[in-house]
Amino acid sequence: MAVAAKKASQASTNAKSADSPRIGHKSVGSWTHQQDMAAYREMLLIRRFEERAGQLYGMGLIGGFCHLYIGQEAVVTGTRMMLKPGDQVITGYRDHGHMLACGMDPKGVMAELTGRSGGYSRGKGGSMHMFSIEKGFFGGHGIVGAQISLGTGLAFANKYRGNDNLCVASCGDGAANQGQVYESFNMAELWKLPIIYVIENNRYAMGTAVSRASAQKDFSRRGISFDIPGEQVDGMDVRAVKDAVERAAQWCRGGNGPIILEMQTYRYRGHSMSDPAKYRSKDEVQKMRDEHDPIEMVKTRLLANKVANEDDLKKIDAEVRAVVTEAAEFAQTSPEPDPSELWTDVYA
Amino acid sequence: MATNILMPALSPTMEQGKLAKWLKKEGDRVKSGDVIAEIETDKATMEVEAVDEGVLGKILIEAGAENVLVNTPIAVLIGEGESAGDVQVAAPASAPPPAAASAAPIAAPAIMPAMASAEHEPAMDAASDDGRPWSWDKAQPWAWMAAGAETSDITMREALRDAMAEEMRRDELVFVMGEEVAEYQGAYKITQGLLQEFGERRVIDTPITEHGFAGLGAGAAMAGLKPVIEFMTFNFAMQAIDQIINSSAKTLYMSGGQVKNPIVFRGPNGAAARVAAQHSQDFTPWYSNVPGLKVVAPSNAADAKGLLKAAIRDPNPVVFLENEILYGVSGPVPKNDDFVEPIGKARLHRAGKDVTLIAWSIGMTYASKAAAELEKLGIDAEILDLRTIRPMDTGAILSSVRKTGRCVVIEEGWQQSGVGAEVVSRIVEHAFDFLDAPVLRVSGKDVPMPYAANLEKLALPTIAEIVQAVRAITYR
């Protein structure tokens, strides 16, 4: 399967001209009802969490920048399914979904958003800077593209130690135009580092559409000059994400070096909370919600296959809401960091 | 027509070298481009190619000769029809270039062009040339020196290499990465021999990709490795400064203490010689500004070794600022493999009572020579080598200034927002009542580094300026 990834990629690459975007990979591989149930709960948690974060932001309880993941839930959920203990995940600033998918405690994440002592960084990092080494989550980085070099270093450490772990380094379509991304691609392929570069193409870098910023709009081809294989994946379908990551992980763990997965996805909310949303129509967002919503697709499938009925799903919904409510309460009741925290953690 | 073949310079800072081997013998015909000899410095081995055609008439410097000055005639090339017996050794092309010839009597050590060489590198202060790069006159011994540690004299280049090698032997997590650090043996030969001892897994040549490999290093450090990232020079680290500051320096804080970044960013910083504006900047104040970083700038071989070992062992990111001019300077270094010097501690280089000179890195060469000049004027200068810029040893600064009541800070970089400004500020805040005169700074001039030899000399601090500043505040 792993070899097929490269071959398939090369074949499709050869068959396409540079300006005709390929259709996202629709293969869903093996997929069980249990995985549908798990994905439903996970994606719902991320969505409800983010909705609540948006609400707390509106109430002035979360400050600064806050980038919501709503719409993109399938990407992290499907990815996480194929990782194993010791694998590392690193991403940019649209990171809450990644943290929840890594199994980080929603209370600790939400309390970090509100800048409280119960947050993962004890209130000193905020939305864009959270970490959990225990869960293999290495941030949470606010500089566009920086996490790609850092993630390449995490993968380097795996190779240096001779273990079987890989790193998933994610960035958006905007970050994919940063120079250091290509510096990292070059070194990763040169040294055959075990890393999956996930480019979450949500179509807009802040307010700039991919077509207005990217000469090569097929991000799976961004590694061609380094001989890194790539695939476009339907990032709204959690099954396709999981399937692509499964093959990519085999590729990496097989010592073949890096691979690029372009996850074709969409964010429903603005870039951050202060997005004027002048760059796209409401119709475009609504159409995506109606036709491609990652959670609705799973829900429909669960009902159609009679894996769950409406009541079962309502029950999950209620459980998820309870988790989020508890997180939001914790985030408001956890005390602010002690003033002495100002001076801690500057030096180890 | 006989032509002299001269000892060539291999680098902007080379002043002498060894004539390792002749590949042609007297009487051999040579064409332009033929390799006629090999020469060596402590940094590199290079082939000497013939420029003109002719016959190698006479070899003037035998193979194996050491310390051959740049521009010394090493052989004579004769034309067709001439015989070697006719050769009159042409007068040595020893006239220095105009800039050096017209130099002020007191010249800064950093800027003498290679062709105007004195016997040792770096080029000497013309007025007080004691054959050493700086004055150890009245130098205070290190603690280990006073304790009678066994030492050997090695260059700062060797000291840095030994520090890395010893730490790599000690800790498997330490690796070295950078441009030309492995097969080339280091652009400035600091990593000489490391590839041979530790292999390509731990001594890694990178593409020319500063931003990328600085970030890769920071990521590897987050995963618990201990990278030593070499920048060929810190001028190129501007490509990477985002990762040094935004990723390395801040992650511990942003993660609430979870994610450490035990990494060393090292390489030559500041002006070398005649490499002009884009390759001659002192970045010490840039890094000095950033909490989360430690910043080290050693002036001599022992401190270089002891502090680099400490930097590699430190759990924090350390920016380790070396100086190309100082690489070839030898000094006593303890032989002990566990020798470390503490980061954050200044070193009293010379005890004195009339004025405190504060310097670090190459600034120490100016300070120590200025002290020797001042002594001729009856002024007894104390010299403090800061060694570490962040954390700054404020206690050492204050105790010296409280004793002397006067201070001059010497800095090769620009004055505005420089390290000197910070030192002065700390003195004024904490020792104002002890001052008998304003604290002055002698710094690099507020211009991009010029290429022309005479202008470069003017752009750097000079010993004369230090002497003048001290006289101004001692009213002598």
Side-chain angles (χ1 to χ4, degrees):
Chain A
M1 288 293 276
V3 177
K6 185 154 198 171
K7 284 187 177 154
S9 155
Q10 284 170 343
S12 66
T13 295
N14 293 340
K16 302 278 174 189
S17 69
D19 58 354
S20 68
R22 281 183 289 155
I23 295 156
H25 205 294
K26 292 289 187 187
S27 162
V28 296
S30 64
W31 183 259
T32 67
H33 295 325
Q34 286 74 20
Q35 284 171 316
D36 256 343
M37 286 296 282
Y40 180 73
R41 179 185 291 271
E42 189 67 48
M43 291 194 290
L44 203 60
L45 173 65
I46 295 170
R47 181 157 305 180
R48 296 287 172 261
F49 182 95
E50 292 290 65
E51 288 167 351
R52 186 62 67 94
Q55 187 186 39
L56 295 185
Y57 192 94
M59 293 162 67
L61 291 165
I62 296 174
F65 295 125
C66 186
H67 309 88
L68 301 181
Y69 200 66
I70 296 173
Q72 303 180 211
E73 296 90 345
V75 176
V76 292
T77 304
T79 300
R80 190 64 202 177
M81 286 178 162
M82 287 299 113
L83 302 186
K84 63 178 203 177
D87 289 347
Q88 303 115 330
V89 172
I90 188 167
T91 188
Y93 44 74
R94 197 176 304 285
D95 54 359
H96 312 159
H98 292 75
M99 293 185 273
L100 296 176
C102 283
M104 288 167 67
D105 182 351
K107 294 206 297 285
V109 178
M110 196 70 93
E112 190 60 39
L113 298 184
T114 54
R116 303 305 175 94
S117 58
Y120 266 97
S121 298
R122 300 212 296 280
K124 291 165 26 171
S127 166
M128 299 185 288
H129 316 111
M130 263 181 268
F131 306 79
S132 170
I133 291 183
E134 183 202 349
K135 301 288 186 187
F137 184 71
F138 282 80
H141 295 273
I143 304 298
V144 177
Q147 74 274 18
I148 296 298
S149 306
L150 294 167
T152 306
L154 296 171
F156 176 90
N158 293 334
K159 174 130 187 181
Y160 189 91
R161 291 189 160 112
N163 63 30
D164 188 33
N165 285 117
L166 59 79
C167 173
V168 177
S170 301
C171 70
D173 48 277
N177 291 327
Q178 284 278 27
Q180 66 176 313
V181 169
Y182 298 91
E183 298 186 21
S184 299
F185 284 0
N186 184 43
M187 288 185 285
E189 177 65 24
L190 188 65
W191 299 329
K192 300 286 182 202
L193 302 182
I195 183 162
I196 304 174
Y197 293 113
V198 171
I199 299 174
E200 296 189 56
N201 177 3
N202 65 16
R203 303 199 188 183
Y204 298 93
M206 286 189 70
T208 304
V210 166
S211 59
R212 296 174 56 231
S214 293
Q216 170 55 272
K217 294 178 272 296
D218 180 346
F219 292 96
S220 73
R221 296 166 59 93
R222 290 293 183 96
I224 285 178
S225 50
F226 308 99
D227 206 20
I228 301 176
E231 272 185 45
Q232 287 185 312
V233 183
D234 181 351
M236 304 302 271
D237 185 342
V238 68
R239 300 170 303 172
V241 172
K242 175 244 151 198
D243 185 57
V245 173
E246 184 170 17
R247 279 179 282 111
Q250 282 178 17
W251 175 261
C252 289
R253 294 195 215 280
N256 298 299
I259 187 164
I260 296 169
L261 298 179
E262 175 192 342
M263 302 290 184
Q264 296 178 318
T265 184
Y266 198 78
R267 72 170 148 73
Y268 298 169
R269 297 295 189 94
H271 161 72
S272 64
M273 301 305 292
S274 52
D275 185 328
K278 298 282 190 204
Y279 51 86
R280 61 182 181 184
S281 69
K282 287 200 170 79
D283 288 350
E284 179 186 301
V285 181
Q286 194 56 48
K287 189 170 158 59
M288 193 57 83
R289 275 182 176 272
D290 291 345
E291 296 174 9
H292 294 283
D293 186 76
I295 299 175
E296 284 303 316
M297 280 196 282
V298 176
K299 184 177 179 180
T300 304
R301 206 157 53 229
L302 286 169
L303 294 173
N305 293 329
K306 300 197 184 332
V307 180
N309 61 32
E310 290 281 1
D311 283 346
D312 297 330
L313 298 185
K314 275 184 187 156
K315 194 166 157 244
I316 293 174
D317 215 353
E319 286 165 8
V320 165
R321 280 183 195 281
V323 169
V324 170
T325 299
E326 188 193 9
E329 277 169 12
F330 178 76
Q332 293 170 68
T333 54
S334 173
E336 288 189 316
D338 188 271
S340 66
E341 282 283 355
L342 179 65
W343 300 103
T344 61
D345 307 321
V346 180
Y347 293 99
Chain B
M1 178 65 195
T3 315
N4 278 344
I5 299 173
L6 306 179
M7 182 74 170
L10 302 179
S11 75
T13 50
M14 172 178 163
E15 286 146 12
Q16 56 177 309
K18 174 182 178 183
L19 206 165
K21 191 162 146 191
W22 281 104
L23 299 170
K24 298 279 183 188
K25 58 184 189 300
E26 287 181 0
D28 282 358
R29 183 172 294 280
V30 297
K31 301 196 300 294
S32 64
D34 282 354
V35 177
I36 55 172
E38 283 179 8
I39 58 174
E40 281 174 21
T41 65
D42 52 355
K43 211 160 96 174
T45 301
M46 291 278 283
E47 293 173 337
V48 182
E49 293 181 2
V51 178
D52 301 309
E53 291 197 356
V55 174
L56 196 61
K58 189 169 181 61
I59 285 174
L60 305 174
I61 304 283
E62 292 303 321
E66 308 252 9
N67 304 329
V68 181
L69 296 186
V70 166
N71 274 4
T72 305
I74 57 173
V76 181
L77 197 65
I78 55 176
E80 292 294 334
E82 293 178 305
S83 80
D86 300 336
V87 169
Q88 300 257 319
V89 175
S94 59
S102 62
I106 295 174
I111 53 171
M112 296 289 277
M115 278 82 74
S117 165
E119 325 163 298
H120 296 276
E121 69 169 316
M124 290 303 108
D125 176 332
S128 59
D129 189 351
D130 54 5
R132 291 181 303 182
W134 60 13
S135 169
W136 287 89
D137 184 37
K138 291 196 175 178
Q140 298 288 304
W142 282 269
W144 47 263
M145 200 178 257
E150 197 185 350
T151 65
S152 54
D153 264 25
I154 58 174
T155 60
M156 187 186 280
R157 171 178 289 116
E158 292 163 329
L160 292 165
R161 189 267 319 277
D162 290 352
M164 286 187 282
E166 286 170 17
E167 293 308 299
M168 290 175 81
R169 282 175 211 131
R170 182 176 176 269
D171 187 346
E172 222 269 327
L173 297 175
V174 179
F175 68 93
V176 176
M177 170 176 273
E179 292 158 8
E180 310 293 359
V181 299
E183 294 197 2
Y184 193 91
Q185 304 286 304
Y188 295 99
K189 290 288 172 285
I190 306 302
T191 54
Q192 193 149 32
L194 295 185
L195 174 68
Q196 284 65 32
E197 179 172 353
F198 299 102
E200 60 186 17
R201 173 171 169 262
R202 299 180 69 194
V203 184
I204 302 153
D205 278 330
T206 64
I208 302 173
T209 299
E210 281 84 7
H211 198 179
F213 70 69
L216 191 157
M222 286 176 188
L225 303 189
K226 297 174 185 173
V228 178
I229 302 295
E230 175 172 308
F231 291 116
M232 195 178 291
T233 86
F234 264 90
N235 300 284
F236 311 151
M238 265 205 285
Q239 296 266 3
I241 197 166
D242 170 67
Q243 290 287 8
I244 298 171
I245 292 172
N246 271 318
S247 299
S248 281
K250 297 179 183 172
T251 299
L252 183 75
Y253 196 82
M254 295 193 306
S255 67
Q258 271 192 81
V259 183
K260 295 186 180 63
N261 217 251
I263 188 170
V264 177
F265 297 102
R266 52 153 290 272
N269 169 63
R274 306 295 312 280
V275 289
Q278 291 179 336
H279 288 71
S280 304
Q281 187 172 338
D282 175 8
F283 291 92
T284 317
W286 292 44
Y287 297 105
S288 167
N289 192 236
V290 183
L293 292 180
K294 295 186 178 182
V295 182
V296 177
S299 66
N300 61 79
D303 285 342
K305 182 173 181 187
L307 288 165
L308 182 55
K309 285 165 70 76
I312 293 170
R313 295 180 190 189
D314 200 287
N316 298 286
V318 180
V319 172
F320 197 92
L321 301 167
E322 299 157 11
N323 188 289
E324 189 191 333
I325 305 282
L326 298 176
Y327 278 154
V329 179
S330 296
V333 176
K335 284 182 171 173
N336 174 13
D337 273 9
D338 242 356
F339 161 64
V340 288
E341 283 287 308
I343 291 176
K345 290 286 172 207
R347 180 178 63 85
L348 184 65
H349 178 73
R350 183 190 202 270
K353 61 178 177 19
D354 296 331
V355 62
T356 301
L357 303 181
I358 295 179
W360 55 92
S361 184
I362 195 161
M364 282 296 296
T365 65
Y366 304 97
S368 59
K369 292 234 156 180
E373 293 295 314
L374 289 166
E375 187 160 293
K376 295 176 194 165
L377 303 173
I379 300 171
D380 186 16
E382 177 149 308
I383 303 174
L384 194 64
D385 182 350
L386 281 188
R387 305 198 295 180
T388 302
I389 309 303
R390 173 183 271 274
M392 190 177 278
D393 191 350
T394 310
I397 294 170
L398 297 181
S399 72
S400 177
V401 172
R402 282 174 181 150
K403 183 173 81 173
T404 62
R406 294 177 166 86
C407 182
V408 173
V409 188
I410 296 131
E411 177 170 23
E412 254 202 11
W414 295 311
Q415 194 163 82
Q416 177 158 342
S417 309
V419 175
E422 178 63 29
V423 172
V424 173
S425 184
R426 291 185 189 210
I427 292 170
V428 170
E429 284 169 19
H430 301 293
F432 185 78
D433 290 346
F434 293 83
L435 290 175
D436 296 319
V439 183
L440 297 185
R441 291 170 289 166
V442 174
S443 313
K445 309 308 183 293
D446 202 24
V447 295
M449 186 62 73
Y451 170 68
N454 62 328
L455 297 182
E456 185 184 57
K457 196 185 302 291
L458 291 170
L460 290 162
T462 65
I463 292 162
E465 287 167 351
I466 298 168
V467 170
Q468 192 179 11
V470 170
R471 293 181 69 172
I473 59 170
T474 52
Y475 315 116
R476 290 155 84 165

